[in-house]
Amino acid sequence: MQVVYPSQTPDSASLAGMSKSVLRKMDQRGPRYTSYPTADRFSGDFAVADYLHAVSDRRSMSAWRALSLYLHIPFCDTICYYCACNKIVTRNRAKAALYLSYLKREISMQGSLFSGMNQVEQLHFGGGTPTYLSDEQMGDLMAHIRSCFTLAPDSVGEYSIEIDPRTVSAARVQSLRAQGFNRISLGVQDFDPEVQRAVNRVQSEEQTLEIIRAARDAGFRSVSIDLIYGLPKQNVMSMARTLSKVIAASPDRIAVYNYAHMPQLFKTQRQIREDDLPGADSKLDMLSLCIRQLTAAGYVYIGMDHFAKPTDDLAVAQRQGRLHRNFQGYSTHSETDLVACGVSAISAVGGSYSQNEKTLDGYYARLENATLPIARGIQLGMDDVLRRLIIQRLMCNFELSINSLEIAYPIVFREYFAAEMEKLQALEAEGLIKIEPEWITVEPKGRLLIRNICMVFDRYLAQDREKADAPQRYSQTV
């Protein structure tokens, strides 16, 4: 395994080295590959029985892997216009209380299924806004989780929660740490007041900094900040000011997402005036700025919009070749099965993916019938598993060992992927990758376009191209 050092991080020169024509050609719609096959390929033919079979197969293994547990809390107080998450905006707290009663039922059912092999090393609360729950509700939920699963010690486990700095106090942050969370993620998006008003998320710099200070005081091992570029009213100058403030706060991880404007899929985005959105060239300038400022500040480019300090677990895992990618983004726990609870949550157990009902009514109805609320999923075949491994290696390590694949699978790589090799050669001609007899390596500027490179191996996308009426499911890659 080759080692990825911070010096290999793409910089603004990598971006500038690509011609506008290359960027225009590569700027197409494509998946973010938090899974392969992607969630839009799941089918209603996959049923609860298929999931139970996957769990049974896991139990039959002689060595059990640790678990990753995800809890989806869909509620928010207010709506952020850019949001593409599965959320429910309400100030009626009774809805959260009802939801928790059903969520605990599902946690109990999953805990029983995994009895005896239920060691959890990674826990993540996402949403929505998980801190929509009261302190008492969160404490009760964490206690219930511990009654159904065995959580690894704090020094071993990674227990994270997404929070909205507008909805928590320093005292609440202290309480979250006491309840067992040791990593915290804050949504910021942009500090510019005009941008905040345009997306209906007004959040002062002081609110954010207070929570970061509180997290440090409480002993959280990691603080992560989320930013977005490409929002309405944004420009290079406003982005530069936000980046300077974020860097001064010194979070351990920074995610800089490309805003995907898809109002045809997400109704809340219709509140955004398209005339206020920055143009393609302006977005590229903002991306270049982010790379330049963050790398100059000492952050390592992990991949897919993520940066981390060199000492952070993500950067260490990448250097050691054990980085993983799942529905929550990049992870250091590559050998865990993912058990997800809550409306719309997606599990990954063995060679299967399964997704819960997307509506509260559907979710509640399944649990009322004493069955897991699984609505759809997919059972992976050998080709799916092989391509998933390739995409994981490229997304996480920016390289692929051809020999290791031929040892693990009954294939001759250049024959099995003959059509893909032609496309890869075209990417090599653009300077994005390097093809050698035993390795495929992503060049520094190719790392900015890693989604495009991975798309070469996506068999389902290739099938879509053969259909004139294939739906536009994905965001732009640049």
Side-chain angles (χ1 to χ4, degrees):
M1 175 64 67
Q2 297 178 359
V3 180
V4 181
Y5 292 103
S7 60
Q8 294 175 291
T9 295
D11 54 21
S12 55
S14 301
L15 186 60
M18 286 187 284
S19 68
K20 293 288 185 182
S21 62
V22 172
L23 289 170
R24 291 191 194 100
K25 180 166 57 177
M26 300 300 284
D27 188 16
Q28 54 189 287
R29 294 184 182 277
R32 296 183 61 84
Y33 293 116
T34 51
S35 72
Y36 180 85
T38 50
D40 54 298
R41 311 296 178 178
F42 297 175
S43 167
D45 293 337
F46 185 97
V48 173
D50 298 298
Y51 179 77
L52 297 178
H53 184 72
V55 176
S56 177
D57 284 348
R58 185 184 196 274
R59 188 173 291 280
S60 67
M61 296 168 56
S62 57
W64 296 328
R65 299 178 293 184
L67 293 175
S68 178
L69 189 60
Y70 173 74
L71 280 297
H72 189 73
I73 310 299
F75 303 103
C76 295
D77 278 318
T78 58
I79 192 166
C80 301
Y81 295 157
Y82 57 79
C83 186
C85 299
N86 187 322
K87 74 280 184 184
I88 298 165
V89 181
T90 178
R91 293 183 181 275
N92 182 358
R93 300 286 162 165
K95 289 188 176 182
L98 177 62
Y99 179 75
L100 281 176
S101 68
Y102 283 97
L103 179 62
K104 288 164 69 175
R105 287 193 204 182
E106 184 187 6
I107 293 169
S108 296
M109 294 169 71
Q110 292 282 14
S112 295
L113 274 178
F114 286 89
S115 177
M117 53 175 188
N118 63 359
Q119 173 90 356
V120 172
E121 289 188 355
Q122 188 177 47
L123 171 67
H124 185 82
F125 275 60
T129 305
T131 47
Y132 183 95
L133 302 182
S134 69
D135 189 47
E136 182 181 357
Q137 287 173 327
M138 186 66 75
D140 178 65
L141 181 56
M142 286 297 290
H144 185 74
I145 291 170
R146 287 190 172 90
S147 73
C148 299
F149 292 89
T150 302
L151 271 61
D154 182 80
S155 59
V156 175
E158 182 176 295
Y159 307 129
S160 61
I161 185 168
E162 301 170 10
I163 69 166
D164 181 343
R166 302 171 301 171
T167 66
V168 297
S169 63
R172 180 73 191 275
V173 172
Q174 290 279 350
S175 183
L176 289 170
R177 184 68 183 97
Q179 287 165 350
F181 296 101
N182 54 30
R183 295 182 180 273
I184 198 166
S185 176
L186 289 72
V188 173
Q189 322 322 337
D190 194 301
F191 278 129
D192 186 89
E194 190 174 9
V195 175
Q196 291 183 355
R197 286 191 293 270
V199 297
N200 198 41
R201 187 188 175 101
V202 177
Q203 176 179 321
S204 73
E205 178 185 354
E206 183 51 39
Q207 280 178 307
T208 302
L209 295 179
E210 180 187 6
I211 297 308
I212 292 175
R213 287 192 295 267
R216 298 295 189 201
D217 292 342
F220 277 84
R221 292 210 305 265
S222 176
V223 176
S224 177
I225 282 182
D226 291 346
L227 303 175
I228 300 177
Y229 71 94
L231 292 173
K233 303 289 187 178
Q234 257 182 348
N235 56 51
V236 173
M237 295 302 294
S238 68
M239 196 74 199
R241 290 191 294 270
T242 291
L243 284 170
S244 295
K245 293 173 181 178
V246 167
I247 290 169
S250 192
D252 302 280
R253 301 174 186 177
I254 301 172
V256 189
Y257 297 107
N258 177 4
Y259 170 59
H261 189 62
M262 295 188 288
Q264 72 279 11
L265 295 179
F266 308 109
K267 292 181 180 179
T268 57
Q269 293 186 356
R270 297 172 192 172
Q271 303 297 320
I272 291 176
R273 295 182 66 250
E274 296 198 11
D275 290 345
D276 289 338
L277 293 172
D281 286 348
S282 180
K283 287 183 70 174
L284 287 174
D285 289 341
M286 283 188 268
L287 173 59
S288 178
L289 173 75
C290 291
I291 295 168
R292 183 171 64 252
Q293 286 197 221
L294 292 176
T295 54
Y299 287 89
V300 178
Y301 178 74
I302 301 299
M304 281 297 296
D305 318 315
H306 283 65
F307 298 79
K309 290 183 176 180
T311 54
D312 185 83
D313 288 347
L314 282 184
V316 173
Q318 187 178 62
R319 291 196 297 273
Q320 295 177 348
R322 55 181 179 83
L323 193 65
H324 180 65
R325 186 164 172 80
N326 60 24
F327 292 102
Q328 284 74 61
Y330 286 100
S331 167
T332 60
H333 294 259
S334 60
E335 296 301 320
T336 59
D337 283 320
L338 171 62
V339 177
C341 298
V343 63
S344 79
I346 301 176
S347 297
V349 177
S352 72
Y353 293 113
S354 55
Q355 184 172 27
N356 283 351
E357 292 281 357
K358 291 185 176 182
T359 67
L360 288 182
D361 286 345
Y363 179 73
Y364 295 162
R366 295 259 189 175
L367 290 165
E368 283 287 353
N369 289 325
T371 184
L372 288 170
I374 294 170
R376 62 188 193 128
I378 189 170
Q379 183 67 46
L380 277 63
M382 191 276 284
D383 181 79
D384 292 324
V385 174
L386 171 59
R387 291 174 187 270
R388 176 174 68 174
L389 176 61
I390 289 171
I391 289 171
Q392 277 276 344
R393 294 278 171 83
L394 290 172
M395 295 284 285
C396 296
N397 301 327
F398 298 118
E399 63 181 7
L400 183 67
S401 168
I402 294 173
N403 282 356
S404 68
L405 290 175
E406 291 180 334
I407 291 171
Y409 292 87
I411 64 166
V412 176
F413 186 89
R414 284 175 169 79
E415 293 178 5
Y416 193 89
F417 294 111
E420 287 82 357
M421 285 301 299
E422 290 185 18
K423 297 174 184 176
L424 291 175
Q425 287 162 3
L427 295 178
E428 185 178 38
E430 300 287 3
L432 304 180
I433 63 172
K434 182 178 180 180
I435 303 174
E436 298 174 292
E438 297 182 2
W439 290 90
I440 295 173
T441 306
V442 181
E443 299 285 17
K445 66 182 180 182
R447 298 178 185 194
L448 301 171
L449 297 166
I450 190 63
R451 289 165 70 183
N452 299 75
I453 296 168
C454 291
M455 285 162 62
V456 169
F457 291 97
D458 192 328
R459 177 170 58 89
Y460 298 90
L461 280 183
Q463 294 170 353
D464 277 353
R465 294 189 188 102
E466 298 172 2
K467 303 174 185 176
D469 59 345
Q472 298 297 312
R473 299 180 171 95
Y474 310 113
S475 61
Q476 297 296 127
T477 58
V478 178

